[in-house]
Amino acid sequence: EVQLQASGGGSVQAGGSLRLSCAGTGFTSDDYKIGWFRQAPGREREGVSCISARDKSTAYEDSVKGRFTISNDNANNTVYLLMHSLKPEDTAVYYCTADLTRILDCTDLLIHGMDYTGKGTLVTVSS
């Protein structure tokens, strides 16, 4: 079974940077997608970013394009989310997620959600 362990959350002032990491286990090949969702207080969970481990294609939610960069290390089944120019509205619990679908691409998965979700890590951006 796929398991995901996220780390790297914390508190930062607006304009600052953070890097989230997520180590995944249980993958039997590189045919999976992995990424991040977030949930802010009083709001629904939303897809932030996703990467295909096989072909490295990526997708981003519009508000983070140009500020966040997702990457992954297949050898260690680890995905990273480098977040720059953080804004107070980025404050949320960030969840590492993954899916084994061969049909849906990352853009689809950010809309529809993924099958596996790890425990969240809190990111707080102060103004």
Side-chain angles (χ1 to χ4, degrees):
E1 182 178 352
V2 172
Q3 294 187 329
L4 305 164
Q5 181 65 51
S7 61
S11 297
V12 65
Q13 289 191 326
S17 300
L18 281 174
R19 189 181 78 160
L20 304 182
S21 302
C22 174
T25 59
F27 297 114
T28 58
S29 73
D30 65 354
D31 199 3
Y32 63 90
K33 280 86 172 179
I34 189 166
W36 300 88
F37 278 65
R38 67 185 178 186
Q39 187 164 19
R43 300 188 64 178
E44 292 187 357
R45 190 172 295 191
E46 65 175 355
V48 176
S49 186
C50 169
I51 187 168
S52 166
R54 172 157 290 185
D55 64 16
K56 309 297 185 184
S57 59
T58 60
Y60 295 91
E61 191 268 330
D62 285 346
S63 72
V64 308
K65 287 179 180 177
R67 300 188 298 121
F68 291 10
T69 302
I70 192 168
S71 62
N72 77 306
D73 176 354
N74 281 10
N76 295 306
N77 289 331
T78 300
V79 65
Y80 304 96
L81 186 67
L82 182 57
M83 305 183 292
H84 289 307
S85 302
L86 283 162
K87 305 176 181 180
E89 50 264 44
D90 294 317
T91 295
V93 176
Y94 284 69
Y95 298 90
C96 182
T97 58
D99 203 288
L100 304 180
T101 179
R102 295 179 178 179
I103 299 174
L104 300 178
D105 63 19
C106 270
T107 299
D108 296 328
L109 291 171
L110 290 185
I111 296 171
H112 298 290
M114 302 193 199
D115 284 343
Y116 301 96
T117 301
K119 290 183 179 179
T121 184
L122 177 62
V123 172
T124 303
V125 184
S126 58
S127 57

